[in-house]
C-alpha cells in the first residue's frame, strides 16, 4: 500500500517540478531600463511621450530651423538610431535636408513598450515630429522591419506625410491578402533558423524569447554570412570596417524588449492588411516609393512585387538587379533614393 501511493506522489512532484522549470525557462528577464539604478546611463537626446515613455533620437543634416526637407528615418531589426542611410553632405546642403532617426521602443536608449502595436508606433513618430517642431508634414523613410512601421504610418497618420520611401520593407508572411501559395513559398525559402523563429513568433509568441536563446533548435540567424548574397557580404564588411556594428548600443536593455518583441509584432496578427490597403492620399500629390533588391536573402522580392502590383496606382516600385538587403548603404545609393523621394512621381 505504501509503495502504491508513493510512486504516484513522486511522479506528481516531478511533473510539478518540470512545469515550474518550463515556466521559468520561457520567462524573459526584466529589462534594464536606461537611466534606472540597474540600467545603462542615458547619453542620447530624448523626448518624453504622453504616456511617460522616452524616445531617444539623433539629428543630422542641416538645422531643422532652416531645412526645406525634413525626414524621419525608421531603423530596422537589431540596429539603432546610429546606423541609418544618410545622403552625401553635398546633396544635404544643396536640398536643405534635415534627418532625424530614433531608437524604436526597447532599442538603444528608448524605453520598452510591452503593449506596443503597429498603430502605437506610428503615433510615436507623429509625437516625435510634433515635439521636435517638424511642421505639419514630413518625409518618412523606413528600412527593413522599420519599413513595416512605414505601412502603419500610411494607415494611421497619412495626413502628416509629405512622401514615403520603403526600403526592402519586411513582409509579414501571414498578411491575409497574399495568395497562400506565394507567401508559403517565400517563407519556405528562408534559412531554417529564420523559418522556425518566424513561425514561433506568429503562432506561439510567448515562446519567442526561449526559442531564440536556447541551443537545442535552430533559432534566428539573420546576419549569418553564409545566407547573404555577394553584395550583402561586401556591404556588411564595409559597415563593420567603419565601426557600424553598434551592438553595444542596440540591445542595452535586453534582447527581449528589442529583438523579440519586434518579431512578435512584425510577424504576429496585424489589425489591418497592407496588401489590401486603399490609397491613403486620394486627391493629394504624395508619392510612395518602394525599393527592393532582387537578390535580397532576408526579405523576398516576390512578395514586394505582388504588393507593388496591387498598389501600382499609388506606389512606385524600384527593383534593383543584383542587389541585396543592404543596397541603401552602397556608395551613392542614398543620394539616388532621397532625390527620387523628393522629386516625387518617377
Amino acid at each position: 500500500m505504501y509503495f502504491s501511493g508513493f510512486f504516484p506522489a513522486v511522479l506528481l512532484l516531478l511533473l510539478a517540478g518540470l512545469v515550474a522549470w518550463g515556466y521559468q525557462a520561457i520567462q524573459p528577464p526584466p529589462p534594464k531600463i536606461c537611466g534606472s539604478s540597474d540600467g545603462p546611463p542615458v547619453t542620447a537626446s530624448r523626448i518624453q511621450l504622453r504616456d511617460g515613455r522616452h524616445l531617444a533620437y539623433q539629428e543630422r543634416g542641416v538645422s531643422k530651423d532652416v531645412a526645406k526637407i525634413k525626414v524621419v528615418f525608421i531603423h530596422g531589426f537589431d540596429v539603432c538610431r546610429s546606423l541609418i542611410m544618410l545622403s552625401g553632405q553635398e546633396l544635404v546642403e544643396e536640398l536643405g535636408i534635415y534627418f532625424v532617426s530614433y531608437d524604436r521602443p526597447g532599442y538603444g536608449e528608448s524605453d520598452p513598450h510591452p503593449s506596443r502595436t503597429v498603430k502605437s508606433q506610428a503615433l510615436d513618430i507623429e509625437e516625435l515630429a510634433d515635439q521636435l517642431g517638424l511642421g505639419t508634414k514630413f518625409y518618412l523613410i523606413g528600412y527593413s522591419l522599420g519599413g513595416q512601421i512605414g505601412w502603419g504610418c500610411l494607415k494611421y497618420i497619412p495626413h502628416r506625410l509629405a512622401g514615403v520611401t520603403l526600403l526592402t520593407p519586411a513582409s509579414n508572411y501571414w498578411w491575409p491578402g497574399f495568395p497562400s501559395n506565394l507567401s508559403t513559398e517565400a517563407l519556405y525559402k528562408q534559412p531554417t533558423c529564420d523559418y522556425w523563429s518566424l513561425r514561433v513568433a506568429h503562432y506561439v509568441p510567448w515562446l519567442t524569447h526561449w526559442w531564440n536563446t536556447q541551443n537545442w533548435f535552430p533559432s534566428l540567424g539573420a546576419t549569418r554570412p553564409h545566407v547573404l548574397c555577394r553584395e550583402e557580404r561586401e556591404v556588411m564588411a564595409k559597415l563593420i570596417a567603419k565601426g557600424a556594428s553598434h551592438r553595444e548600443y542596440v540591445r542595452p536593455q535586453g534582447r527581449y524588449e528589442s529583438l523579440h518583441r519586434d518579431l512578435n509584432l512584425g510577424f504576429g496578427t496585424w489589425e489591418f492588411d497592407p496588401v489590401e490597403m486603399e490609397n491613403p492620399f486620394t486627391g493629394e500629390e504624395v508619392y510612395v516609393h518602394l525599393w527592393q533588391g532582387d537578390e535580397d536573402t532576408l526579405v523576398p522580392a516576390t512578395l514586394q512585387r505582388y504588393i507593388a502590383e496591387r498598389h501600382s496606382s499609388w506606389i512606385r516600385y524600384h527593383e534593383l538587379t543584383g542587389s541585396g538587403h543592404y543596397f541603401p548603404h552602397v556608395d551613392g545609393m542614398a543620394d539616388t533614393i532621397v532625390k527620387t523621394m523628393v522629386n516625387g512621381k518617377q
Side-chain angles (χ1 to χ4, degrees):
M1 292 290 293
Y2 172 78
F3 286 106
S4 64
F6 175 75
F7 285 113
V10 170
L11 288 175
L12 184 61
L13 286 172
L14 289 174
L15 179 61
L18 183 63
V19 170
W21 172 84
Y23 177 78
Q24 290 295 325
I26 65 175
Q27 298 305 304
K32 296 181 178 180
I33 307 296
C34 285
S36 65
S37 58
D38 63 342
V42 174
T43 62
S45 299
R46 305 203 304 177
I47 63 165
Q48 186 169 21
L49 302 171
R50 285 186 291 267
D51 63 7
R53 290 181 296 114
H54 295 88
L55 279 188
Y57 66 93
Q58 185 171 352
E59 298 172 295
R60 298 177 176 85
V62 304
S63 166
K64 61 175 175 283
D65 297 326
V66 300
K68 299 175 182 177
I69 298 164
K70 298 170 184 176
V71 182
V72 176
F73 186 92
I74 316 171
H75 71 75
F77 182 77
D78 203 12
V79 291
C80 63
R81 68 186 185 281
S82 301
L83 182 61
I84 76 167
M85 175 212 79
L86 192 61
S87 298
Q89 187 61 29
E90 184 177 343
L91 183 68
V92 167
E93 294 179 358
E94 175 189 342
L95 299 181
I97 307 174
Y98 161 88
F99 287 96
V100 60
S101 57
Y102 72 102
D103 289 332
R104 297 194 282 110
Y107 280 99
E109 297 182 33
S110 287
D111 292 339
H113 189 197
S115 59
R116 69 187 182 191
T117 63
V118 177
K119 183 176 183 178
S120 75
Q121 295 196 100
L123 298 181
D124 283 354
I125 291 172
E126 183 175 38
E127 191 169 352
L128 174 70
D130 286 341
Q131 290 204 33
L132 295 182
L134 302 191
T136 57
K137 286 182 178 286
F138 51 87
Y139 288 89
L140 189 75
I141 298 177
Y143 184 15
S144 191
L145 211 55
Q148 274 196 347
I149 300 169
W151 289 117
C153 293
L154 287 166
K155 173 70 174 178
Y156 296 114
I157 59 167
H159 57 288
R160 303 300 305 274
L161 305 176
V164 177
T165 293
L166 305 178
L167 306 174
T168 183
S171 296
N172 185 325
Y173 301 93
W174 293 273
W175 284 337
F178 283 132
S180 59
N181 62 322
L182 184 69
S183 56
T184 300
E185 180 184 5
L187 180 59
Y188 279 146
K189 288 183 178 180
Q190 293 297 296
T192 302
C193 51
D194 297 0
Y195 169 82
W196 283 108
S197 291
L198 298 181
R199 287 178 63 87
V200 167
H202 182 77
Y203 292 110
V204 282
W206 46 273
L207 273 181
T208 295
H209 173 73
W210 174 82
W211 184 270
N212 289 290
T213 54
Q214 51 75 37
N215 297 313
W216 299 346
F217 305 106
S219 58
L220 198 68
T223 58
R224 293 177 184 172
H226 68 273
V227 303
L228 304 179
C229 74
R230 180 187 59 79
E231 183 192 83
E232 289 167 337
R233 290 195 299 271
E234 291 175 353
V235 174
M236 179 67 74
K238 288 182 180 179
L239 291 175
I240 293 174
K242 292 179 180 178
S245 177
H246 299 300
R247 282 292 173 264
E248 66 271 30
Y249 305 112
V250 174
R251 321 169 187 168
Q253 302 177 96
R255 295 174 66 185
Y256 181 72
E257 295 298 339
S258 51
L259 311 188
H260 302 160
R261 285 200 189 278
D262 236 7
L263 293 174
N264 287 347
L265 180 59
F267 299 97
T269 300
W270 279 37
E271 59 259 38
F272 73 96
D273 182 0
V275 183
E276 302 290 350
M277 278 185 68
E278 298 292 333
N279 183 356
F281 303 118
T282 303
E284 299 181 70
E285 282 206 12
V286 179
Y287 301 101
V288 179
H289 295 274
L290 196 163
W291 296 76
Q292 176 69 34
D294 69 343
E295 293 188 11
D296 193 323
T297 58
L298 304 179
V299 176
T302 53
L303 300 184
Q304 307 288 28
R305 293 171 191 146
Y306 186 82
I307 291 178
E309 184 176 351
R310 287 289 298 269
H311 301 322
S312 59
S313 63
W314 56 280
I315 288 183
R316 277 54 184 171
Y317 182 57
H318 312 268
E319 185 167 306
L320 305 174
T321 302
S323 288
H325 196 68
Y326 304 119
F327 68 82
H329 298 287
V330 172
D331 292 344
M333 197 66 220
D335 281 5
T336 299
I337 291 169
V338 169
K339 283 189 287 187
T340 301
M341 177 180 70
V342 172
N343 290 334
K345 187 176 181 180
Q346 288 193 6

